[in-house]
Amino acid sequence: MNKEMLERFFRYVKIDTQSKEDVTDRYPSTAKQLDLSKMLVAELRELDLKDAAMDEFGLVMATLPSNLTPAETAKVPVIGLIAHVDTSPEVSGADVKPIIHKNYKGGDINLPGDPNVIIRQSENPNFSGQIGNDIITSDGTTLLGADNKAGVAEIMSLLANLQKNPEIKHGTLRIAFTPDEEVGGGTEHFDVKKYAADFAYTVDGETLGEIEIETFNASAGTFTIHGINVHPGYAKGKMVNAIPIAAEIVRLMHQEPNPATTEKREGYLHPYVIEGGVEKATIRVLLRDFDIDGIRTKAARLNEIRNQVAAQFPRARIELDVKESYKNIHVKLAEYPKVIEYALEATQRAGIQPGTQIIRGGTDGAKLCFMGLLTPNIFTGGHNFHSKQEWISVQDMEKTVAMLVNLVQVWVEKSL
Ligand SMILES: [Zn+2]
């Protein structure tokens, strides 16, 4: 398995699948992502997932049929496994040259392609558990792409493993490989109905053993300030300039917790775009909080700010619009706790110390949850995503595959 899994991973990281921000006229954002998607369809078919296909949006879906009796199959839930094919727009993913640093003995890892790129032990506490392992990095000129090609390779290795070992019992598995996750579009065209899984796991996390069970509640707010523009030479008593009004709104928001002053479970308000002129200005704001009450309080605070500034500038018109982006997946997970319990048990059975994590962000899983598909995020073993210092060990990838093999079995065992 070791050799085959590595070959897969290397084959995938060598394909440039970088996605691109702010592309609105095509989906996925870059055509090159489909090079990997097409390869995966062919490989899925070779592994006997006969219905493997890529849809018009570049989304790959496939089914591994259950190897249980029909009566048993009806009792075992259909499990979805999801990974994304694209890599981050932040760092080049072209011409990736993966390197294996065999039998890691501790210390910093120097990368041959760029003397300035050093993976320092002091910045990587997880190196302590890697002594004797084989660590994979890029050559330092690109990212590695373990995010999320490690997840893709691990899911594919699970399937290869199940094909070779028919005595391992499993229910129906639904696979999905999505494009454009890194630019926030991974679930845009995800057809939850067609996917037809009872729940799913994204295999897109980091440190071995960590299962992500909470995300922020997220909303997006927009202030629109309508001023009145007249020639500035003849503006006395007439002009209403939207710019100072926008500044006052920003000043008041900045008295609230923001991303630079918060950590752990603390939420924030984050004005991140401001544009406009005298006649009209807009401010876009992100609202984030782990608690549902917290996110409501933040929306209410924005409304107070709006009212306060509107009273200060009665001739301007100030609109505020707040829309929900996604909710903390914890709310949905609480309805079906087995999805986490069994994942933790499978982790333990694979000889990995399990743990749960909160993430100060959203995942594709958070969006899928509220499209009706419960989807927590499980680890891949990767580290330092979106950077030239990205790394993963062969042994952690193997353990992740072992966890997935255990996961399908735990579900069979507990459901029959
Ligand atoms: Zn990812």
Side-chain angles (χ1 to χ4, degrees):
M1 183 182 82
N2 183 336
K3 188 164 167 271
E4 199 184 309
M5 180 193 71
L6 260 185
E7 280 171 3
R8 269 184 205 291
F9 181 53
F10 280 23
R11 194 157 64 236
Y12 304 158
V13 298
K14 284 177 186 166
I15 301 173
D16 180 8
T17 58
Q18 189 179 42
S19 50
K20 201 169 164 200
E21 298 274 11
D22 298 322
V23 175
T24 50
D25 59 342
R26 58 160 302 140
Y27 188 95
S29 60
T30 55
K32 59 191 178 183
Q33 295 177 61
L34 303 183
D35 296 344
L36 178 53
S37 306
K38 284 176 200 156
M39 178 189 274
L40 291 169
V41 169
E43 292 188 9
L44 284 162
R45 289 196 182 146
E46 272 170 39
L47 290 171
D48 263 352
L49 283 80
K50 296 192 182 71
D51 66 344
M54 184 175 88
D55 71 10
E56 63 199 291
F57 304 110
L59 226 125
V60 176
M61 285 191 186
T63 313
L64 182 72
S66 159
N67 60 2
L68 305 167
T69 66
E72 288 169 338
T73 300
K75 288 187 197 153
V76 179
V78 176
I79 303 175
L81 293 169
I82 302 171
H84 63 90
V85 296
D86 63 317
T87 60
S88 169
E90 292 166 56
V91 181
S92 170
D95 198 18
V96 173
K97 297 184 190 73
I99 295 173
I100 305 187
H101 308 263
K102 283 208 169 131
N103 190 10
Y104 174 68
K105 297 206 162 55
D108 298 348
I109 296 181
N110 294 292
L111 301 178
D114 184 344
N116 297 315
V117 182
I118 298 165
I119 313 180
R120 294 183 196 281
Q121 188 172 22
S122 57
E123 290 162 8
N124 288 271
N126 284 300
F127 271 176
S128 62
Q130 300 292 337
I131 305 295
N133 285 354
D134 307 316
I135 294 179
I136 311 169
T137 66
S138 75
D139 70 350
T141 60
T142 63
L143 48 66
L144 172 63
D147 177 14
N148 185 215
K149 289 164 186 172
V152 175
E154 287 156 357
I155 291 171
M156 293 299 282
S157 297
L158 163 75
L159 298 172
N161 207 301
L162 295 178
Q163 191 200 32
K164 266 182 225 144
N165 301 287
E167 72 282 2
I168 299 175
K169 294 295 169 201
H170 60 84
T172 306
L173 302 184
R174 286 284 282 157
I175 309 303
F177 296 125
T178 60
D180 271 1
E181 190 269 353
E182 298 290 3
V183 292
T187 59
E188 206 168 301
H189 297 283
F190 195 103
D191 187 342
V192 166
K193 238 190 187 144
K194 179 177 145 200
Y195 192 52
D198 289 301
F199 54 84
Y201 299 95
T202 45
V203 185
D204 190 22
E206 302 197 21
T207 305
L208 202 67
E210 283 178 1
I211 297 173
E212 290 166 346
I213 60 163
E214 280 204 62
T215 55
F216 273 138
N217 294 290
S219 296
T222 307
F223 286 96
T224 309
I225 302 128
H226 300 273
I228 299 168
N229 197 7
V230 284
H231 188 290
Y234 307 93
K236 188 165 184 189
K238 292 179 189 151
M239 179 190 278
V240 178
N241 187 349
I243 293 172
I245 302 172
E248 178 62 5
I249 292 172
V250 171
R251 188 186 70 81
L252 290 170
M253 275 194 286
H254 201 62
Q255 294 171 358
E256 303 294 320
N258 68 66
T261 62
T262 52
E263 61 176 352
K264 296 183 180 140
R265 294 194 70 87
E266 297 163 332
Y268 56 73
L269 286 177
H270 177 40
Y272 70 105
V273 173
I274 179 162
E275 41 192 12
V278 174
E279 192 156 292
K280 187 179 165 192
T282 56
I283 309 165
R284 286 196 269 164
V285 191
L286 301 179
L287 300 78
R288 297 289 186 266
D289 206 290
F290 283 99
D291 289 329
I292 201 78
D293 286 341
I295 198 99
R296 285 188 192 126
T297 309
K298 286 187 168 54
R301 178 66 192 132
L302 288 188
N303 205 36
E304 278 169 24
I305 290 173
R306 191 212 76 89
N307 293 342
Q308 185 182 335
V309 176
Q312 232 173 304
F313 299 91
R315 293 180 59 229
R317 190 157 57 85
I318 307 174
E319 294 163 348
L320 170 64
D321 175 56
V322 178
K323 279 199 184 73
E324 184 183 284
S325 308
Y326 54 85
K327 280 191 186 132
N328 187 338
I329 61 171
H330 189 68
V331 182
K332 285 272 175 185
L333 281 171
E335 293 169 15
Y336 201 179
K338 283 177 187 172
V339 173
I340 292 299
E341 283 166 29
Y342 294 178
L344 292 172
E345 176 151 356
T347 304
Q348 200 137 32
R349 285 192 197 184
I352 307 163
Q353 176 67 37
T356 53
Q357 275 291 323
I358 59 168
I359 18 176
R360 290 177 61 78
T363 60
D364 268 4
K367 289 185 199 143
L368 288 173
C369 271
F370 287 86
M371 289 160 72
L373 182 68
L374 179 57
T375 311
N377 188 26
I378 58 186
F379 53 89
T380 57
H383 299 274
N384 300 345
F385 288 173
H386 305 187
S387 83
K388 293 175 183 173
Q389 281 93 352
E390 199 181 0
W391 63 272
I392 190 166
S393 75
V394 177
Q395 287 75 9
D396 285 0
M397 287 186 75
E398 286 173 339
K399 283 187 186 158
T400 302
V401 177
M403 181 274 186
L404 295 174
V405 173
N406 276 289
L407 183 64
V408 299
Q409 288 174 286
V410 171
W411 274 101
V412 170
E413 251 178 65
K414 305 264 183 187
S415 306
L416 293 184

